[in-house]
Amino acid sequence: MAGWKKSTWAIATCLLSVTVWVGMSGADASPVIERGYARVVDVTDFDEITVEMGPQTYTLRLAHVLPLSRWPRAVTQAEQGLSDDAKNFIDKWVLGQTVFVETRDTQRDTQKPIQVDLYRYTFGPSRMTAQWEGKRPSEKVKWFGYNLNLLLIEEGITTYAKGNPPRSPAIRELFTKAEQWAQERQTGMWSQPDFAKKLQDTAIEHDVPDD
């Protein structure tokens, strides 16, 4: 077991050595940082998540998920409740927490948040207490880690933005399966199928590639 823990930490350390691009807030023109762990200090929406990495502050956007700002206007109390649940869910999982940041695409426009995947692991700085089994779509990207973008869709918190899909066929399939997971279990927004369909239509119609 001790050897396994050492190997796990070695993998996590190696992940920190790869250079990626992340949109930086403020006037600093340099867009290059080391990908890795960050502390989430504010969550306005799924496309406006503020994190601190070392001395710098960055604004991030969760890739391939529909932000709350693009939801159609709620017309019933139940639909408004879904919006409130969505904000509470993302706050619970990331606000004030340490997450692992990884870019998905190659966007170079540093004037707006770059699309990223966020992860939490069952070990290390982003440790969480959930039991990882490797069965859910959100558990199939990283060993002993949860992809929070996929988790939002699995839980019916928001929908897959198919208008700007991942480039990897394997990742596209995971996003599709995450939505099927929620739909089959009538989780979250899928407890209101008509509203869920509106969200899907909105995601297809309005979400466009950033790069």
Side-chain angles (χ1 to χ4, degrees):
M1 180 63 72
W4 178 87
K5 288 183 178 179
K6 289 181 180 179
S7 298
T8 302
W9 275 104
I11 293 171
T13 301
C14 288
L15 287 172
L16 296 175
S17 65
V18 181
T19 300
V20 298
W21 294 66
V22 175
M24 182 182 295
S25 63
D28 196 320
S30 174
V32 181
I33 65 168
E34 295 293 317
R35 79 173 180 181
Y37 290 103
R39 182 171 178 79
V40 178
V41 296
D42 188 51
V43 179
T44 302
D45 200 342
F46 304 145
D47 61 351
E48 193 173 347
I49 298 174
T50 305
V51 303
E52 293 177 346
M53 300 182 77
Q56 301 291 348
T57 300
Y58 303 92
T59 302
L60 312 178
R61 172 187 177 185
L62 292 181
H64 318 305
V65 300
L66 185 70
L68 297 174
S69 61
R70 296 193 180 184
W71 281 30
R73 185 174 63 87
V75 296
T76 69
Q77 186 174 357
E79 291 171 358
Q80 182 58 49
L82 291 174
S83 177
D84 295 341
D85 290 346
K87 183 62 167 61
N88 291 338
F89 186 92
I90 192 67
D91 283 352
K92 176 182 176 180
W93 273 78
V94 306
L95 186 59
Q97 303 294 329
T98 297
V99 297
F100 188 79
V101 179
E102 184 173 78
T103 58
R104 173 64 61 192
D105 293 323
T106 56
Q107 174 191 337
R108 294 293 184 265
D109 184 351
T110 60
Q111 300 305 309
K112 54 186 176 182
I114 196 170
Q115 295 190 84
V116 301
D117 286 318
L118 295 185
Y119 295 89
R120 289 192 64 188
Y121 290 88
T122 57
F123 63 91
S126 66
R127 182 172 180 170
M128 52 184 292
T129 58
Q131 184 175 356
W132 187 91
E133 296 179 334
K135 296 179 180 179
R136 299 166 59 121
S138 62
E139 298 174 319
K140 292 186 176 181
V141 183
K142 303 285 189 184
W143 282 100
F144 301 103
Y146 286 85
N147 179 294
L148 301 184
N149 308 47
L150 287 166
L151 185 65
L152 286 171
I153 297 171
E154 269 177 11
E155 294 293 329
I157 300 303
T158 190
T159 190
Y160 168 30
K162 298 181 180 69
N164 186 16
R167 293 175 176 174
S168 163
I171 298 299
R172 285 200 300 270
E173 183 178 5
L174 285 177
F175 273 88
T176 298
K177 288 183 175 180
E179 193 143 76
Q180 291 171 347
W181 178 284
Q183 188 172 4
E184 290 168 0
R185 291 161 177 77
Q186 297 185 323
T187 302
M189 70 181 196
W190 291 102
S191 64
Q192 305 286 327
D194 291 342
F195 189 68
K197 182 63 166 60
K198 289 181 185 178
L199 289 182
Q200 285 188 314
D201 292 343
T202 299
I204 293 171
E205 180 179 352
H206 294 291
D207 203 76
V208 295
D210 283 320
D211 56 348

